Amino acid sequence: MTDPTGAPAGTDVDAIFDDLPSNIDTDVFSVARLYDFLLGGKHNFAPDRDFGRQLLAIEPNGRMILQQNRLFLARAIRVMLDDGVRQFLDLGSGIPTQSYVHELAHAVDPAARVVYIDNDPPAVSHSNYILRGNDNAGAVLADMVDAERVLGDPTVKSLIDFDKPVGLTALAAWHFVDDADDPAGVLQTYRRMLAPGSYLALTHATIDGATGDLVRSVQSQYQAVMKNPSPRTREQIAGFFEGFRIVDPGIVNLPAWRPDKAEDAVGAENVWFYGALGKLTAA
C-alpha cells in the first residue's frame, strides 16, 4: 500500500527533507505544497495533505484537474519553444515540481532561462532548494501583482532579456488576484515590457457551465485557510489578453486545448479550468 504522496504506507515522508531551509514551517499549510500533494509529489507535509483530502472530498476530480493544468502547460511550452522562445517568467509559481517550466524548457534547451515568482517565503525557499546548482533558473520572493517590483528584481533582470521574446506564464494563479487589484491592468504592465513574439499562457478557474456550484463549494472551502479565489467567466478571462492575439483554439477547458489525441478532450466540460495562449505581435 502507498500513502497519497506515493510513499509506502507507514513511511515518514517528511523525514527526507533533513536539509530544508529553516524558514519552512512544516506545521503550517501552504497552497504551493497543496498543489504538489494533489499532483502526487513529495514536497508536502501533513497540513497540506490534510487540506488536500478535504478538497478531494468535495471535488474527487481535483487531482485530475491539476494534472490537466500541467498537461496544458507542457503543450503550451512546446508551442513557445517551437517558436524560438527560450526564456520564461512564471507568475504565482508555487513550488516548481512535477515537470514544471524549467524541466520542460531544459529538456529542449538546457540554456533556456526560467524565473519563478511567488509571494510565499517558504515556497520560494523551497523552490530555490529544488533549483540549487541550476544557473539558468531561480525563484524570487515577490507579489506577482506588483509588476514593477517583479520586473525590477535583480534575479529577473539577470536571467530575462526583455529585448527578446519571453514566455509569461500564470498557471492556476490569476484567480487569486482580486478584482480590486486590477488583474487586467497588472497583466498590461507586464505586456508593456515584453518584446514582439512573446507569449502569455494562462489557466484560470471558471464558474461557467454545469460545474459552477461545485466550484463555489471549493471556493468556500479555501476561505478557511487563505485568500478566497475568484473564479471567472470566459469573457472576463478574455479581457486579460488585451494586446495579445489568442491562438487557436481560443479560451477552452484545459483538455480541449490542442490535445495530443482527440479522445483526450472527452469530458473536457468537467474540468472547470480554462486555458489559453496569446502571442504578442506588436509591443
Side-chain angles (χ1 to χ4, degrees), residues 202-225:
L202 184 141
T203 65
H204 197 295
T206 183
I207 50 175
D208 286 347
T211 58
D213 288 342
L214 174 61
V215 178
R216 292 182 183 93
S217 295
V218 172
Q219 181 182 21
S220 177
Q221 188 71 20
Y222 266 101
Q223 289 178 333
V225 294

Side-chain angles (χ1 to χ4, degrees), residues 23 60 65 76 82-83 87 110 112 140-141 159 176 215 219 254 262:
N23 71 331
I65 290 171
D82 287 346
D83 200 25
Q87 46 185 0
V140 169
L141 178 63
L159 287 174
F176 291 113
V215 178
Q219 181 182 21
L254 296 179

Side-chain angles (χ1 to χ4, degrees), residues 13-141:
V13 296
D14 297 345
I16 63 173
F17 301 117
D18 56 1
D19 61 343
L20 279 176
S22 59
N23 71 331
I24 296 179
D25 189 343
T26 62
D27 294 323
V28 175
F29 167 79
S30 162
V31 69
R33 296 195 301 260
L34 165 69
Y35 283 5
D36 179 72
F37 164 71
L38 293 173
L39 286 164
K42 294 182 174 63
H43 294 270
N44 54 78
F45 303 101
D48 317 308
R49 297 191 285 271
D50 289 346
F51 186 72
R53 294 183 185 105
Q54 294 174 35
L55 286 183
L56 290 172
I58 298 172
E59 171 51 294
N61 291 323
R63 279 199 173 96
M64 179 271 289
I65 290 171
L66 286 185
Q67 287 166 353
Q68 288 292 336
N69 190 60
R70 287 297 171 92
L71 291 171
F72 165 87
L73 172 66
R75 298 193 297 271
I77 290 286
R78 188 164 64 215
V79 170
M80 290 186 272
L81 287 167
D82 287 346
D83 200 25
V85 176
R86 290 296 183 271
Q87 46 185 0
F88 300 88
L89 182 62
D90 186 69
L91 305 177
S93 56
I95 299 172
T97 63
Q98 304 298 305
S99 299
Y100 210 50
V101 179
H102 70 287
E103 292 180 345
L104 295 166
H106 290 163
V108 173
D109 185 350
R113 305 293 185 91
V114 179
V115 180
Y116 295 109
I117 306 297
D118 205 277
N119 67 347
D120 179 1
V124 172
S125 292
H126 207 142
S127 299
N128 281 316
Y129 164 80
I130 292 169
L131 297 170
R132 63 198 186 281
N134 189 333
D135 293 335
N136 290 326
V140 169
L141 178 63

Side-chain angles (χ1 to χ4, degrees), residues 230-279:
S230 301
R232 296 182 170 97
T233 65
R234 178 186 276 109
E235 182 179 5
Q236 290 172 310
I237 295 167
F240 298 153
F241 285 88
E242 182 181 350
F244 294 87
R245 176 180 59 81
I246 300 177
V247 303
D248 290 337
I251 301 172
V252 296
N253 298 77
L254 296 179
W257 198 88
R258 301 194 181 192
D260 293 327
K261 303 186 298 295
E263 55 266 33
D264 292 344
V266 174
E269 66 277 4
N270 296 317
V271 176
W272 38 269
F273 271 61
Y274 284 138
L277 180 67
K279 184 174 182 179

Side-chain angles (χ1 to χ4, degrees), residues 152-166:
D153 181 85
T155 297
V156 173
K157 293 172 72 174
S158 69
L159 287 174
I160 304 296
D161 180 357
F162 287 99
D163 290 329
K164 298 178 181 178
V166 175

